[in-house]
Amino acid sequence: MRAVEALMAALKHEGVDVMFGYPGGANLPTYDAIYDAGINHILVRHEAGGGHAAEGYAKSTGKVGVSLATSGPGATNLVTPIADAMMDSVPTVFITGQVRTDLLGTDGFQEADITGITMPIVKHSIMIRDPRDIPKAIHEAFHVARTGRPGPVLVDIPQDLSRAEIDYVPIDDVSLPGYQPTHSGNAKQIRLAAKALANAKRPVFYVGGGVVNANASEELRDLARIEKFPVTCTLNGLGAYPAPDPQWLGMLGMHGTRAANYAMDEADLILAIGARFDDRITGKLSEFAPNAKFVHIDVDPAEISKNVPAHIPIVGDAKEILPRFSEEYRALESDESRMKEWWERIEHWREKYPLTYEDSTDNEIKPQYMVQAVWEATEGQAIVASDVGQHQMWAAQYYDFPEPRRWINSGGAGTMGFGLPAAMGAAAGNPEQLVVCISGDGSLQMNIQELATLAENKIPVKIFLMNNGFLGMVRQWQELFWDGRYSHVDMGNLPDWVKLADAYGIWAKQETDKTKLVGTLKEAIEHDGPALVDVRVTKEENTYPMIPAGQAARDMVG
Amino acid sequence: MGDPGTKEVFSLSDLQATGQRIMGRKHVLSILVENEPGVLARISGLFARRGYNINTLAVGPTDDDKISRITLTIDGAEHPIDQVTKQLHKLVHVLKIRDLEPHDTVARELALFKIDADAHTRQEISQLSEIFHGRVVDVARKSITVEVTGSDEKIEAFESLVRPFGLIEMVRTGEIAVQRGRHTT
């Protein structure tokens, strides 16, 4: 068969039901094969949109997201989604066309060394040199993308090779001698960690996106509830532990709750699970959790002791390790009352510093209120994709996620323009669920062309635009740390969003009245198809509380 | 953190078990990699991106034509070696890494020295190179080229001796190394 038909067969064998892409000269053979492949292909309007859509699909379903692009500029447009997928460990496969092999290295038309360009930001990449390797490369790519610490894999296929005739037999057991991720976790270390937890007087569970990736939420809950252990999640870990919950301290880090950050600060034992001690969590590293011992569970050994030295490292898959941890813990004698003072302290912080804001007394819509309105209109049951900025932090703070894979967000890379296409990918992967995108006026304009994709494919994403006419987070930093010199953050000439959506054929409405907001949001939700609500919010509002970059948890402001 | 007195561990499973940081000395990493295009770029790129400085780098085939060996020396005082090793292990084409212990390692480097020489100094340089078990590989009217192999200390010692004659050019291969005895990487 043609190599591109084998490519499609390999993709189907890997369970691909939808992919996102954009055709061009170098991947024309592939697109010819897509024509009869029976795989749902969604034509995006920019390759970056396709890449983020694949991420949204992967984050919401747990399956591998697939995105295609042609060579040169098509491929380089995938660089941002690839970097984003790397930072957040998103299982993704990116398939790029490449110029013919006789043109490789000659600066041929639409040539770019995409394997070279993306080398620092992929988990793995494969450049095809023999057409017979194409299906094998796909199987290897999926295997590497979804096992161990998940991540992006790039497969680059020269145009002439994709036209060759080859034989294809699917492979189920990929053999890569240099790639042997550890799953099981060292038994002795688990026992040691259980013992440390049983003796801790001020323990905190610090949970990251790795628990979501490992589908280990249930196992986490079982362990956390053996005794009443306090739990906090990172931005990417939201939903890994149900919120709200009596043991839930809220998110931690730069815009986390005081209760979570102060608890980390005073903890004597921190159980880090699938979390990587990012600088947005630790703040000033030398003053991070100064009294704590660290137990660190992670599937990637290189994360252990990278930023913070682990006293008890456990390498492996949280889904395998946590039940064994629970079992070891149950076998130990421990006295729950040892944490009594600790909980009193935590309750004190919770009472004194609840997550709150000053709501408007007139009809003005405060951004925090807007997120609460979204929560109310969706009954807390939506998949929420956000973009990057203040709205993202408010969404993280005020939308309580009852389970994992409901919060689709660019955490590590902080990619503006992520939200709309990611929501599109999540909706494509979850046709039965309500998917909303909370975006900002800056972020939404970064991949606004995907409105066309939504409209064409009738993907019913509900875009709730938090419109303050500012690059809000940058403005906040300028206000707090740059003497209020608002350099280039006023988005000034904003489009008429309702007309714009209308031009694309999307239902839209503007809302400026607080009392009508929930109703308008519901109207959008009930509308059959994609919808946009332009919500005019307070222009200058800050995201608080906040640990200023590079400072310690106890220096929180706001 | 970063206690220089911590136990030295070399295999990935050791690293996983202890998570300790090891710092403080020069490290010779012997890395077996699959013979795939771009492997060296991935490795050197990883070092560049994470700010680890490579002192020497030597690459060559092994007895298995599917596998190459990279011998790489780095200064462990600058960065914790276990982090370097763990990041390298994440590369799919990296098969095996061994951090060779100096006392248990035979390491050699080859250097070529092109030295200013005339009829008067030629003999003296030639004698010096004999003491270092070097070989004169080229003689011209105004220069002499000497090949020296050995440890980096030996090569540096030879360099300091011949530099006063006028060093025109010097080339070093970077160290290659094997463990003593029957053990293999």
Side-chain angles (χ1 to χ4, degrees), chain A residues 120-140:
Chain A
I121 52 168
V122 291
K123 184 174 174 190
H124 186 49
S125 53
I126 303 166
M127 165 116 197
I128 301 295
R129 281 157 206 279
D130 181 331
R132 289 167 297 182
D133 291 342
I134 290 174
K136 183 169 145 258
I138 293 296
H139 293 312
E140 285 179 1

Short mmCIF file of all heavy atoms in Angstrom, two decimals, chain A residues 120-140:
data_model
loop_
_atom_site.label_atom_id
_atom_site.label_comp_id
_atom_site.label_asym_id
_atom_site.label_seq_id
_atom_site.Cartn_x
_atom_site.Cartn_y
_atom_site.Cartn_z
N PRO A 120 15.02 20.81 21.58
CA PRO A 120 14.98 21.05 23.03
C PRO A 120 13.58 20.99 23.64
O PRO A 120 13.45 21.04 24.84
CB PRO A 120 15.54 22.48 23.18
CG PRO A 120 15.99 22.90 21.83
CD PRO A 120 15.31 22.03 20.84
N ILE A 121 12.54 20.90 22.82
CA ILE A 121 11.18 20.99 23.37
C ILE A 121 10.32 19.78 23.06
O ILE A 121 9.11 19.84 23.20
CB ILE A 121 10.46 22.29 22.88
CG1 ILE A 121 10.52 22.40 21.36
CG2 ILE A 121 11.05 23.52 23.54
CD1 ILE A 121 9.60 23.46 20.79
N VAL A 122 10.95 18.69 22.62
CA VAL A 122 10.17 17.46 22.42
C VAL A 122 10.64 16.41 23.41
O VAL A 122 11.77 16.43 23.89
CB VAL A 122 10.33 16.88 20.99
CG1 VAL A 122 9.66 17.77 19.97
CG2 VAL A 122 11.79 16.62 20.65
N LYS A 123 9.73 15.48 23.68
CA LYS A 123 10.16 14.31 24.45
C LYS A 123 11.00 13.43 23.53
O LYS A 123 12.00 12.85 23.94
CB LYS A 123 8.93 13.56 24.98
CG LYS A 123 9.31 12.38 25.86
CD LYS A 123 8.12 11.72 26.50
CE LYS A 123 8.57 10.47 27.24
NZ LYS A 123 7.44 9.65 27.69
N HIS A 124 10.56 13.34 22.28
CA HIS A 124 11.31 12.56 21.31
C HIS A 124 10.91 13.03 19.92
O HIS A 124 9.83 13.58 19.74
CB HIS A 124 11.00 11.07 21.48
CG HIS A 124 11.84 10.17 20.63
ND1 HIS A 124 13.20 10.28 20.55
CD2 HIS A 124 11.50 9.14 19.80
CE1 HIS A 124 13.67 9.35 19.72
NE2 HIS A 124 12.66 8.65 19.25
N SER A 125 11.78 12.81 18.93
CA SER A 125 11.37 13.11 17.56
C SER A 125 11.97 12.09 16.62
O SER A 125 13.01 11.50 16.90
CB SER A 125 11.80 14.54 17.16
OG SER A 125 13.17 14.72 17.40
N ILE A 126 11.27 11.89 15.52
CA ILE A 126 11.71 10.89 14.55
C ILE A 126 11.65 11.53 13.17
O ILE A 126 10.62 12.04 12.75
CB ILE A 126 10.77 9.66 14.58
CG1 ILE A 126 10.71 9.05 15.99
CG2 ILE A 126 11.23 8.62 13.55
CD1 ILE A 126 9.57 8.07 16.21
N MET A 127 12.79 11.52 12.48
CA MET A 127 12.81 11.98 11.10
C MET A 127 12.84 10.73 10.23
O MET A 127 13.72 9.90 10.36
CB MET A 127 14.05 12.84 10.87
CG MET A 127 14.33 13.06 9.42
SD MET A 127 14.20 14.78 9.00
CE MET A 127 14.06 14.67 7.23
N ILE A 128 11.87 10.61 9.35
CA ILE A 128 11.77 9.42 8.51
C ILE A 128 12.84 9.46 7.42
O ILE A 128 12.99 10.46 6.72
CB ILE A 128 10.36 9.33 7.87
CG1 ILE A 128 9.28 9.28 8.95
CG2 ILE A 128 10.27 8.13 6.94
CD1 ILE A 128 9.29 8.06 9.82
N ARG A 129 13.57 8.37 7.30
CA ARG A 129 14.58 8.28 6.24
C ARG A 129 14.31 7.12 5.29
O ARG A 129 14.92 7.01 4.24
CB ARG A 129 15.97 8.12 6.86
CG ARG A 129 16.47 9.45 7.34
CD ARG A 129 17.52 9.32 8.42
NE ARG A 129 17.51 10.53 9.23
CZ ARG A 129 18.12 11.66 8.87
NH1 ARG A 129 18.77 11.75 7.75
NH2 ARG A 129 18.06 12.72 9.65
N ASP A 130 13.43 6.23 5.72
CA ASP A 130 13.07 5.08 4.89
C ASP A 130 11.56 4.93 4.99
O ASP A 130 11.02 4.86 6.10
CB ASP A 130 13.78 3.83 5.46
CG ASP A 130 13.50 2.58 4.63
OD1 ASP A 130 12.42 2.50 4.01
OD2 ASP A 130 14.36 1.68 4.63
N PRO A 131 10.86 4.93 3.85
CA PRO A 131 9.39 4.92 3.92
C PRO A 131 8.83 3.72 4.70
O PRO A 131 7.76 3.82 5.29
CB PRO A 131 8.97 4.86 2.45
CG PRO A 131 10.19 4.50 1.68
CD PRO A 131 11.36 4.96 2.46
N ARG A 132 9.59 2.61 4.70
CA ARG A 132 9.10 1.43 5.42
C ARG A 132 9.03 1.68 6.92
O ARG A 132 8.39 0.95 7.66
CB ARG A 132 10.00 0.22 5.13
CG ARG A 132 9.84 -0.30 3.70
CD ARG A 132 10.95 -1.25 3.35
NE ARG A 132 12.25 -0.58 3.38
CZ ARG A 132 13.41 -1.16 3.08
NH1 ARG A 132 13.45 -2.43 2.75
NH2 ARG A 132 14.53 -0.47 3.12
N ASP A 133 9.74 2.73 7.40
CA ASP A 133 9.74 3.04 8.85
C ASP A 133 8.54 3.89 9.27
O ASP A 133 8.36 4.13 10.46
CB ASP A 133 11.02 3.81 9.21
CG ASP A 133 12.26 2.93 9.10
OD1 ASP A 133 12.09 1.69 9.09
OD2 ASP A 133 13.36 3.49 9.02
N ILE A 134 7.74 4.36 8.33
CA ILE A 134 6.67 5.32 8.70
C ILE A 134 5.70 4.73 9.73
O ILE A 134 5.51 5.32 10.80
CB ILE A 134 5.94 5.86 7.45
CG1 ILE A 134 6.89 6.79 6.68
CG2 ILE A 134 4.66 6.61 7.83
CD1 ILE A 134 6.35 7.27 5.35
N PRO A 135 5.09 3.57 9.47
CA PRO A 135 4.15 3.06 10.49
C PRO A 135 4.84 2.75 11.83
O PRO A 135 4.28 3.03 12.89
CB PRO A 135 3.56 1.81 9.85
CG PRO A 135 4.30 1.56 8.60
CD PRO A 135 5.09 2.75 8.25
N LYS A 136 6.05 2.20 11.76
CA LYS A 136 6.78 1.90 12.98
C LYS A 136 7.03 3.18 13.78
O LYS A 136 6.89 3.22 15.01
CB LYS A 136 8.12 1.23 12.62
CG LYS A 136 8.94 0.80 13.80
CD LYS A 136 10.12 -0.09 13.34
CE LYS A 136 11.34 0.13 14.18
NZ LYS A 136 12.38 0.97 13.58
N ALA A 137 7.38 4.24 13.06
CA ALA A 137 7.63 5.53 13.73
C ALA A 137 6.37 6.01 14.44
O ALA A 137 6.44 6.56 15.55
CB ALA A 137 8.09 6.56 12.71
N ILE A 138 5.22 5.79 13.82
CA ILE A 138 3.95 6.21 14.45
C ILE A 138 3.73 5.42 15.74
O ILE A 138 3.40 5.98 16.79
CB ILE A 138 2.77 6.02 13.48
CG1 ILE A 138 2.90 6.99 12.30
CG2 ILE A 138 1.42 6.19 14.18
CD1 ILE A 138 2.82 8.46 12.66
N HIS A 139 3.95 4.11 15.67
CA HIS A 139 3.74 3.29 16.88
C HIS A 139 4.72 3.70 17.98
O HIS A 139 4.36 3.80 19.15
CB HIS A 139 3.89 1.81 16.55
CG HIS A 139 2.80 1.30 15.64
ND1 HIS A 139 1.47 1.56 15.87
CD2 HIS A 139 2.84 0.58 14.50
CE1 HIS A 139 0.74 1.02 14.90
NE2 HIS A 139 1.55 0.42 14.05
N GLU A 140 5.98 3.96 17.59
CA GLU A 140 6.97 4.40 18.59
C GLU A 140 6.58 5.75 19.17
O GLU A 140 6.67 5.98 20.37
CB GLU A 140 8.36 4.50 17.95
CG GLU A 140 9.00 3.14 17.70
CD GLU A 140 10.38 3.23 17.04
OE1 GLU A 140 10.85 4.37 16.78
OE2 GLU A 140 10.96 2.18 16.79
#
